[in-house]
Each structure stands twice: as structure tokens, then as C-alpha cells.
Amino acid sequence: MTTTRTSEPSAAAPLLDLHALVVAVRRRRRLWCSMALVGLLLGAAVAVLRPPPPNAVTKVLVAHKEDQPNDTGTLIRTDVELLGTTRIADKALRSLNSPEKPEDFMRDYRGTGLTNNLLRIDVTGDSDAHAVARAKALADAFVADHVQRMRETAKAEAKALLDQRDRMRDELAKVNKAIGDRSPESDPKASASIETLFARRAELTSRIGDFDQRAEEARIGTPRLVAGTQIVDAPRAVRHSLPRAAATDGAIGLLLGLVIGLAVAAVGAVVADRPVLRRDIAANLGASVIAELRGVPRRPAGAWQRRRARVASERLTTTLARTVRGSAEPVSLLELGCARGTSVIALNVAGALAAEGPVVVVDGLPGPQLADSRRKPGGPDVVSGEGAEAVPPQVRRLGVGSVAPGTAWSDLPYLGSRTVLVVRAGHGSTTWLHTVARQLADQRIPVIGVVLIAPDPRDRTDGTLWDGTDIALRSHGERPARHNGTDRPRAEGPALRNDGGRQGEMGRQSDPAWQGEMGRRTETAPLNSTAPQNNTDQARTERPPMPAARVPDTDQEDP
């Protein structure tokens, strides 16, 4: 696979990366799981410590004169509102001989319309018997008030009909008198007037009879409404189940805690702006992710998990040992958020390199992580930063330092002129990652690559910078060219650099004379010879950059 730089501009970053947000929230699962657990415990505690007061319930069938099949519940809602009035509460308290105020009693009960004619009344009290007595008094007061209102309505309606009937009778008497006072005449006009009076008398007689019938119906309908309004379910105490109440309140608390926890985790992830994806960490540091290592499990791991972690650690050690071995300059490991893990990695790499010659680990960490780490007998020596100058030149040095806040940036070059960053995913903010990249560039310390600690297991992003001058850890400039099947030297990629800017030699590649000179140097150069490099900048200037070659996807060397 050949990688080439593209001149197309990178896509604009979205305002809110949902993928990164989901990963960040998932990594903070301990937060929202803890809040969900706290909500569950609080809900269960509320159910246990504050049980509901004794409660009684009764149901009342309410008959209305205006009942219609298509009623939308307006009448029963009116009854519910009438139940919550001081008049009903005062009547109930009087029947109980209670000195309590109606306003206070109204807070202890509520009505609910179940159907168009069925009303449920819930009442609380000091005890079950007290709640039942209050419910019965309240239901009786409501029924009595409803019956009284129905009777008064019917009485008023009947009285209005009878008054109208009496007025009709008075008018009928006047008509009858007018008819009796007239004598039969032969005049046609007089005959027409008499016929009008007879028609008016017939109309009044009919209307009087109609008013009598309607008044009688109003009187007869009142007993039917009174009999239809009654208590259909006697007041009884409601038994509360403590386990059921605890389960219900706990489920509600669990849901609320989970929602609040997820919201807090999401807001915190956006505000903190701590990259967790490989692509974001690589882009912010300006270096490719060359390896990753799972974090330490929080619970005891099984045999297969321990074997998997051991294999991953061995692969990481092999990769870093190959990196240090292939570099002609001292290499350092700089940690960000994983000092203890970096110490272990440094000792493992130094142990792998000890078979080829003496190795010294230079401890530049601000804490005692490296000094307190478990070292095998006969392992590499560990010296402090002050003792690094006394190390002989023929002894390989491996520096270990930190790029956490408070780092003395001017001391980093003494640990190594090239570095590998060991970063814990989600530890540093975007601003601090930019600061690290800028400070290392100012100190002229190229970043070979990034080792990611505790990455997200579901992260499928690529942490390789394919569109920059620093491609992933493919070649370092010191590795010799090797033969391929056609006896031609195999091209190598440019040395990894993170100096914060483009080199001037990249602009000279378009010069035909320069390309011809570089081609002649390549053809006449020995295939398997390399010159030691004492200065990184000189090596970059003298050695022409070439296109990156195909690299296997595994950690094994090419045959």
C-alpha cells in the first residue's frame, strides 16, 4: 500500500461530533450508573422512610338530568370541582363533629371522575378507621348536596311552569268573558272576531294543559334523580404494599437518576472537550497512533483476559523496542495521564533492549512511579535526571518523562531528542494536547508516534495521519534500504517529524535538476549501507525524502 499526500482540504469539523460524544458518555458510565443507583436507593428509601398515610376510598354514582350519551365528561368534572368546595367540606366536618377548618380538610381528599356518572373519592386520615369515617362523611355530604341541588332545581322549574300556567288561565278567563259579552250578529266582521276569540281560547287551553304536564314531569323526575345518586362502593381502607411501593419508587428514582446522569455526562464531555477517539488524539498531537494498550480492569480478570493483556503488552514492547533500536538518537517516553503504566512500559522496553547491550532508564517523572515500580532482578539500571550526564556514551539511554501540566519543557531534550507520547484516552483536553504538540515542536523534539492507553473498545476510527508529512511509524530514516525481487532498492518513507511546519525541502521536489541529482545519488548509493546520524536536522537535509513504501499490517519484520 502506497500512501501519498493529498492536496484536498480536510473536511470541516462538525460543531458537535455525535460519535465522540457517545464514546465519551459511554466511557463515563461509572458516573451515570452511580447516579442511577443513587436514584434507585433514594426512591426505595423514600418508600420505606415516608410511607403513605392511611387512605380510604369510596365511589358515588351521580345521576344528572342533563345526561346524554355523547357527553364528554363535563358534568362529572363539574361534580369533582364541587366536591372540592368549602361547602361540602364544612358539611362533612359538621357530621364528624370535627373542629378542623374546611380549607385544611380539602387538602386531605380528592375526587376523580371515572366515568360520566361515577365519582371516586380518596381521603387520608390519621388511621384507617379515621380515614374511612371521613370518606363516608364526605360521600354523604356530597350526595346530600347533590340531591338538594336537584330538588331545588326541579322545584324552581315546576314553579316557573305553574306560574306560566296561571298566567295562561288568567288570559283564558279574559277570552271567555269576551266571548260571553258578544251577541250573535249577522255582520261578517263581527263573526270573524268571534272566530278569532274561539281560536285563542283553544290555543290557551292547550298550552295550559301542556304546562300542567311539564310541571308534573318535573316533580316526578326529581325522585328518580335522587334515587339514582347514591354510594355504590362503601368506604374502605386501602392497603399499601411496602415492597410494591419500594419497587415503584425505586424504578422512578432509577429512571430519573439515569436521565440526570446521562445529561451530566454529556454536558461534561462537551464542556471538558477531552478527545477519546484515536483520530482526534492523533490530529491534535500531530502524530500517528502506533500502538494501544487496554487499561487495567477494575475487577479480577479471567485467565483469557490476563493472557490477552500479556500478549498486548508483549506486542507493545516489541514495537517500542524496534523503534528505539532503529533510532540513532536517544528516545524518550513522555506520559500524559498514565505515569505508572509508562514506567512499566519503559522497564519492559529496556529489558528487551538489554540483550543487545547495556541500557539505562533515565527517570524524569515528577513522582516516584518509576522508583516504586517492580523491577526484575538483573534488570536495567534507573538513574535520575541529574545522573544522566554520567552515563557513558556507549550505553543506550531510554528517557521517561511527563508532559502533564507543570512540566519543565526545557528539560525534555535531555531525556531524548526523539520521543514517543504515551497518552491515556480522554485524559488531556484539546487545548492541552495542542500545547504539548507546540512545546515539543519548540524544543525540536520530533514525535515518533503515540501509544494510546485505555482506548475505547468500540473505537473504529483510524489514528494514522495520512494527509501529513508524518505518516505512521513505517520508517525512521536510519533503517537501511533492502532488496526486492528486481534488485532495486526498496523505497522508504520520510522520517517522522512533528516540527510544527512544512520543511523547505518539500518545495524543492518539483525542481527537475534536484530530482535528477537525487536519482543519481540513489542509483550510486550502496544498497545496505547507512551512515550514523548525529544530528537529526542534518539527516533530514542530506537524505532526500522518498515516497512511502508498502508496509505489512503486523508487527513482524519483512523477510
Side-chain angles (χ1 to χ4, degrees), residues 333-378:
L333 300 179
L334 302 180
E335 65 84 22
L336 180 60
C338 49
R340 187 172 299 277
T342 306
S343 302
V344 176
I345 294 173
L347 294 177
N348 293 337
V349 173
L353 297 173
E356 305 174 3
V359 180
V360 172
V361 178
V362 181
D363 183 9
L365 293 173
Q369 290 84 359
L370 187 56
D372 296 344
S373 60
R374 298 179 181 179
R375 285 178 280 176
K376 299 179 181 179

Side-chain angles (χ1 to χ4, degrees), residues 87 164 240 282 401 405:
R87 184 175 67 175
Q164 188 68 14
H240 296 281

